């Protein structure tokens, strides 16, 4: 039994390494500046990989696979700054760094927790269109096994030489708006340390597979 368990773990580590290598090379093979559609395509390809291998590599494996892609495709610092709104101005440099770190870890953990198994789902890109303030919307759909669809509208802005996601609207519901409402409800009663603690606790509870 011990030998069998060790072999399974070794195969799992090798699979994770191979998947990470594939993801890294995918980013490297893209032109110096990826288009918004390329950013979304790479993200969604990696989500499908995480789903397909989800039970084999486990939560920790999905976390390692998804982390670099989410960090490169999302502007997590801008997302949390926007979600906090006026509260951001009152934070010290140390508090800002702490909430960005905690929020980033929580965001990656949420992806790893939710995209954990595959039942024939696939993503398809629908359109790209210009938004005000030099932003781009990329619309895609997740086609499920029963052929029902979930629409994902990704809002991206330009940071340096990279297009990055600053909001995701799922079937008409803005993830940024939900975060803004949730986080501000906490900050109206408590401080930023309380919010950080809540996010850390939620992150710790994920991945119990």
């Amino acid at each position: 039994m011990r030998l069998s368990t060790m072999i399974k773990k070794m195969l799992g580590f090798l699979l994770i390494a191979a998947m990470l290598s594939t993801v890294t090379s995918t980013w490297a093979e893209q032109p110096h500046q990826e288009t918004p559609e390329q950013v979304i395509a790479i993200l969604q390809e990696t989500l499908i990989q995480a789903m397909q291998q989800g039970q084999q590599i486990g939560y920790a494996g999905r976390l390692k696979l998804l982390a670099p892609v989410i960090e490169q495709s999302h502007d997590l610092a801008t997302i949390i700054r926007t979600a906090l709104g006026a509260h951001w101005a009152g934070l010290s440099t140390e508090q800002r760094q702490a909430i960005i770190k905690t929020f980033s870890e929580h965001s990656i953990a949420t992806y790893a927790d939710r995209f954990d198994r595959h039942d024939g789902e696939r993503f398809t890109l629908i359109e790209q269109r210009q938004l005000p303030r030099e932003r781009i919307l990329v619309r895609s759909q997740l086609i499920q096994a029963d052929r029902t669809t979930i629409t994902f509208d990704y809002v991206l802005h330009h940071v340096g030489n990279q297009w990055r996601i600053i909001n995701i609207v799922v079937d008409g519901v803005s993830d940024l708006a939900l975060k803004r409402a949730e986080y501000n409800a906490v900050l109206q009663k408590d401080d930023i340390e309380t919010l950080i603690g809540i996010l850390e606790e939620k992150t710790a509870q994920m991945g119990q597979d």
Side-chain angles (χ1 to χ4, degrees):
M1 289 296 292
R2 288 184 178 178
L3 181 59
S4 175
T5 301
M6 289 178 63
I7 291 174
K8 287 181 179 179
K9 287 183 177 180
M10 289 177 63
L11 289 173
F13 289 143
L14 289 172
L15 179 60
I16 293 168
M19 293 170 70
L20 285 171
S21 176
T22 300
V23 170
T24 303
S25 62
T26 300
W27 280 101
E29 289 166 3
Q30 297 299 322
H32 185 62
Q33 179 175 322
E34 294 85 14
T35 68
E37 285 189 340
Q38 286 175 326
V39 172
I40 301 307
I42 293 171
L43 169 64
Q44 293 183 338
E45 287 170 7
T46 310
L47 291 175
I48 292 295
Q49 286 183 41
M51 294 163 71
Q52 290 173 335
Q53 304 296 333
Q55 299 307 295
Q56 186 173 355
I57 64 176
Y59 172 74
R62 297 194 301 272
L63 205 62
K64 290 179 182 179
L65 173 66
L66 291 169
V69 176
I70 294 169
E71 289 170 351
Q72 292 188 69
S73 61
H74 293 62
D75 188 348
L76 295 167
T78 293
I79 293 172
I80 186 58
R81 184 174 69 244
T82 304
L84 295 184
H87 296 285
W88 180 264
L91 302 181
S92 67
T93 300
E94 291 75 16
Q95 288 174 324
R96 290 178 179 181
Q97 292 173 344
I99 188 61
I100 290 172
K101 178 178 181 294
T102 300
F103 175 73
S104 298
E105 292 172 349
H106 177 68
S107 298
I108 296 167
T110 301
Y111 270 107
D113 186 60
R114 293 180 180 175
F115 290 85
D116 63 341
R117 64 186 68 243
H118 191 253
D119 189 28
E121 300 91 343
R122 62 184 177 87
F123 283 104
T124 181
L125 293 175
I126 304 298
E127 65 171 330
Q128 172 181 306
R129 67 170 183 263
Q130 188 74 41
L131 295 177
R133 293 188 289 174
E134 299 183 348
R135 295 177 175 179
I136 294 290
L137 182 143
V138 176
R139 172 165 292 174
S140 71
Q141 287 185 332
L142 177 64
I143 302 173
Q144 303 181 93
D146 61 1
R147 297 191 178 181
T148 58
T149 60
I150 301 173
T151 299
F152 290 79
D153 288 340
Y154 296 89
V155 180
L156 300 92
H157 74 165
H158 213 228
V159 183
N161 65 347
Q162 175 73 44
W163 285 99
R164 294 199 174 187
I165 298 165
I166 54 172
N167 191 19
I168 305 173
V169 182
V170 183
D171 278 345
V173 179
S174 167
D175 182 62
L176 182 59
L178 293 176
K179 286 181 169 61
R180 184 183 292 117
E182 177 186 354
Y183 299 169
N184 278 272
V186 174
L187 293 175
Q188 284 174 5
K189 299 179 180 179
D190 294 293
D191 55 20
I192 192 67
E193 282 72 24
T194 300
L195 177 58
I196 290 172
I198 290 171
L199 292 178
E200 287 177 340
E201 184 177 353
K202 288 183 176 181
T203 301
Q205 292 173 349
M206 293 180 186
Q208 304 301 315
D209 45 37

